[in-house]
Amino acid sequence: MKIVDTYEYVSVLRELTEEGQSVSMLISGSSMSPFLAHQRDYIYFEKPKRPLKKGDMVFYQRDTGQYVMHRICRVCKDGTFHMVGDAQIQIEKGIRPDQIFALITQVKRKNRLLKPGDFWWDFFQKVWIRMIPLRPLAKRVYSVIYRLRKQGSE
């Protein structure tokens, strides 16, 4: 296995999207859980070809240089965006359009390709994005159900 600097790697992928190519990468980090899992799932992305909307997953670069892949939770009248990871309740405000370089067009989740129109894609894009204040409670309920199902199958 070769270790590569994330900033350098994503910079190359960003250049490829600027050239009109669709690229993929393995997820690193847990901010998009429960939809996407660290070191398990892949994202496929390209330069946006349409106006971005609430629920879209996008790749952007913060002014600090850090690359982030989160979901749009609000499109503001001034043209900026509010972002949030699926595992988060803290909203990042003021992301400018020029910071966004890619739209996630599909994902490989648990070894299965998902895209708009699939149940889990639509659930997280249309329902989960509207549940931001309820996410901690929903995750606790899910965790309890998961443990009970696991105990029942043993």
Side-chain angles (χ1 to χ4, degrees):
M1 177 191 283
K2 184 176 179 179
I3 305 292
V4 181
D5 177 76
T6 304
Y7 178 84
E8 202 173 300
Y9 177 64
V10 178
S11 293
V12 170
L13 296 180
R14 182 178 184 169
E15 287 177 27
L16 292 172
T17 63
E18 290 297 325
E19 294 171 5
Q21 295 187 47
S22 181
V23 296
S24 68
M25 72 178 274
L26 180 65
I27 288 294
S28 179
S30 59
S31 69
M32 291 303 288
S33 172
F35 184 51
L36 300 172
H38 172 71
Q39 297 294 307
R40 181 193 72 189
D41 299 328
Y42 288 82
I43 57 171
Y44 298 80
F45 54 95
E46 58 191 38
K47 187 175 183 171
K49 297 175 183 164
R50 60 165 174 77
L52 298 171
K53 63 183 189 298
K54 181 177 183 170
D56 283 341
M57 285 185 290
V58 295
F59 229 138
Y60 60 99
Q61 188 174 19
R62 290 180 172 146
D63 288 333
T64 62
Q66 180 184 23
Y67 287 107
V68 181
M69 193 270 298
H70 279 165
R71 200 177 292 279
I72 296 172
C73 64
R74 183 171 180 212
V75 179
C76 302
K77 290 179 183 177
D78 67 0
T80 62
F81 299 90
H82 291 186
M83 304 289 188
V84 68
D86 288 346
Q88 302 173 327
I89 57 172
Q90 198 72 21
I91 296 170
E92 182 176 4
K93 299 177 180 180
I95 301 301
R96 301 179 312 276
D98 65 288
Q99 292 175 273
I100 298 171
F101 63 91
L103 172 67
I104 287 50
T105 56
Q106 62 182 356
V107 300
K108 189 173 194 179
R109 179 180 190 256
K110 297 181 181 177
N111 252 356
R112 190 168 155 242
L113 275 177
L114 298 176
K115 58 186 187 267
D118 290 319
F119 174 81
W120 286 114
W121 183 285
D122 290 350
F123 173 80
F124 282 94
Q125 183 180 45
K126 297 173 183 167
V127 178
W128 191 251
I129 195 67
R130 288 171 169 76
M131 295 177 55
I132 294 170
L134 301 174
R135 287 178 179 181
L137 175 62
K139 287 171 80 174
R140 274 184 263 148
V141 169
Y142 173 81
S143 180
V144 168
I145 292 169
Y146 179 81
R147 272 188 268 131
L148 291 173
R149 282 184 59 201
K150 192 173 180 179
Q151 288 173 354
S153 66
E154 292 175 351

